[in-house]
Amino acid sequence: MTEDADANRIRRELQRLAGDRGWVNGSRLVQRLADNLGIAHLEIRHRLFALSQAGVIDNIAPTGDGLGRVTIQQFLPARPMIIPLHEREWRHLLASRTIDPGVEAALREVGPALSGLSRSDMEHLLDGFFRLVADRDTFAGRDPYEISAKYLLGSSKILGKWGKALSAAGLSDASLGSRPRYVLGAGPTRSKFTLLVENPECFERLVGLGIAERITVIATYGYGIAWSGAGTEGRLDRIKIARIAGTPPFTLAEAVAVDTCCFWGDLDLAGLDIFIKLRAVVPHLNLSALYGPMLVAAADPATSHPYCGLVDKTGQIEPLGTDIVISRLADACRLRAVDQEYVADPDLVALADRILEYPRGEAEVAK
């Protein structure tokens, strides 16, 4: 790489760091530039001093270190924006049609995602979009994946990526139905207690132990409900229950509309985050007493594990929440975690229909 190329890389990085302010903090500037650009510290110092001498920047010491605010005196021109061929083709196609300006602007934003499509593909795609808009009154209750596949190049995935364009054309989420959503469920008729279980394997154990004969048990599949569209919108009436045993309710909304509803998952930071997200749509959700044996296990290095790749638990972060019970559980599993499969069968039978409680004076029952 030439010296000029190195100097230009440093200048562009300085401009990026400076942003609209036009200056960058000189503290640890050499370190930041070296880390971001992969250029040796000594080389960075030489370049900064040379740029200072040339009047490109100011406040650089003879050592090459920044002194207070380092102001950019001369800016490199912005690099010309190169528009890929597929985006140019899409823009030309839109310009050749008579389209409402607001809709056209929204459709232009779709361009970057159309790599791999031919001009003919784009024409069929645009025609399908306008047929879809024209038929909007027929979509009530229909699966968005079905609509997407029927109108947009036979693909069930395209419709979900055209939110702004659909909105500009007058279609909202309310115009469509929802994708079929199912959770596994088991339980007796008219149960007054529902237990939401993070993992389907533990759900199956509970059913096998006969616990679903006295309470409703639902498998939530980790973040499945919390991250699904129906879950984040609180439309639990759209999440159906696939009955595994007994006669549990038909929808998740019915299942959680009981006197007592609890959640049981892994005793780790992600598990607590799942609970917090579920409680956002089920406000009366409690933590299950099944966390009791797990709290004991978390305090013993022989029955707990650190957050690492071996246990597929890298990158977990502490969830946000002010509930005192959540705080206590987060403290208990901040360094070491316990999976819910650890809980023994006798504890499952004894604790599955109870709420986690702390000794008086330490914490209240989760609310």
Side-chain angles (χ1 to χ4, degrees):
M1 181 172 289
T2 66
E3 291 186 359
D4 285 345
D6 272 342
N8 284 342
R9 286 184 65 205
I10 292 172
R11 290 182 66 180
R12 291 200 180 279
E13 182 63 12
L14 284 169
Q15 289 177 197
R16 187 188 71 80
L17 293 173
D20 294 335
R21 299 172 304 179
W23 58 268
V24 62
N25 192 330
S27 176
R28 299 184 67 252
L29 181 58
V30 172
Q31 179 73 52
R32 282 182 286 162
L33 290 171
D35 291 344
N36 294 349
L37 299 175
I39 299 176
H41 286 218
L42 184 59
E43 193 67 23
I44 294 285
R45 293 179 188 277
H46 286 319
R47 290 282 185 263
L48 289 179
F49 183 68
L51 291 172
S52 176
Q53 293 295 98
V56 174
I57 56 177
D58 66 1
N59 290 339
I60 298 294
T63 60
D65 293 298
L67 301 172
R69 289 186 177 183
V70 176
T71 303
I72 300 175
Q73 309 285 1
Q74 301 175 27
F75 284 82
L76 285 172
R79 290 192 179 101
M81 181 179 295
I82 300 175
I83 301 175
L85 177 61
H86 66 275
E87 286 191 57
R88 297 202 302 272
E89 287 280 7
W90 180 243
R91 292 183 181 189
H92 291 158
L93 176 59
L94 295 177
S96 71
R97 305 287 184 91
T98 302
I99 304 174
D100 175 86
V103 175
E104 181 177 355
L107 285 170
R108 283 167 67 94
E109 295 187 25
V110 177
L114 303 185
S115 176
L117 297 189
S118 67
R119 171 73 180 224
S120 176
D121 290 330
M122 293 179 188
E123 290 174 351
H124 291 307
L125 184 62
L126 188 61
D127 291 341
F129 172 81
F130 285 116
R131 288 198 306 273
L132 185 156
V133 171
D135 292 347
R136 74 183 78 185
D137 293 338
T138 69
F139 294 155
R142 290 174 60 187
D143 176 9
Y145 273 37
E146 173 201 353
I147 294 168
S148 182
K150 286 184 175 179
Y151 288 88
L152 305 175
L153 299 180
S155 169
S156 64
K157 306 297 194 301
I158 294 176
L159 185 66
K161 299 175 181 177
W162 285 39
K164 286 186 178 180
L166 292 170
S167 179
L171 276 82
S172 65
D173 290 340
S175 305
L176 309 172
S178 62
R179 292 184 58 203
R181 301 283 187 180
Y182 288 89
V183 292
L184 301 181
T189 303
R190 292 185 293 277
S191 167
K192 295 183 179 181
F193 190 109
T194 294
L195 178 63
L196 304 181
V197 182
E198 179 181 346
N199 297 325
E201 295 81 6
C202 289
F203 163 85
E204 189 171 3
R205 282 180 64 197
L206 292 169
V207 174
L209 289 169
I211 293 169
E213 295 174 9
R214 66 179 196 261
I215 66 172
T216 299
V217 184
I218 304 292
T220 69
Y221 287 85
Y223 278 102
I225 295 174
W227 282 353
S228 74
T232 55
E233 295 167 6
R235 294 303 306 269
L236 302 186
D237 57 314
R238 294 184 177 181
I239 301 178
K240 301 175 183 178
I241 294 177
R243 294 180 169 185
I244 302 302
T247 54
F250 288 101
T251 69
L252 187 58
E254 296 173 81
V256 300
V258 292
D259 294 343
T260 310
C261 189
C262 287
F263 172 77
W264 173 45
D266 293 338
L267 180 57
D268 58 18
L269 299 176
L272 296 182
D273 187 51
I274 292 171
F275 168 74
I276 291 172
K277 286 180 169 55
L278 287 174
R279 192 170 58 177
V281 293
V282 186
H284 62 291
L285 188 64
N286 296 282
L287 287 165
S288 169
L290 292 170
Y291 278 103
M294 300 167 71
L295 286 166
V296 175
D300 185 346
T303 54
S304 62
H305 49 264
Y307 294 86
C308 61
L310 180 65
V311 296
D312 293 331
K313 290 188 180 179
T314 56
Q316 292 192 14
I317 59 175
E318 188 166 340
L320 298 176
T322 57
D323 185 288
I324 190 169
V325 175
I326 290 293
S327 297
R328 297 239 177 214
L329 264 67
D331 287 341
C333 68
R334 184 168 287 110
L335 300 179
R336 301 185 70 84
V338 178
D339 289 340
Q340 63 180 141
E341 288 84 354
Y342 169 82
V343 181
D345 287 354
D347 286 330
L348 293 180
V349 173
L351 302 173
D353 56 358
R354 292 169 56 186
I355 298 172
L356 178 67
E357 296 185 12
Y358 275 82
R360 186 180 299 275
E362 287 194 28
E364 297 178 351
V365 176
K367 295 181 179 178

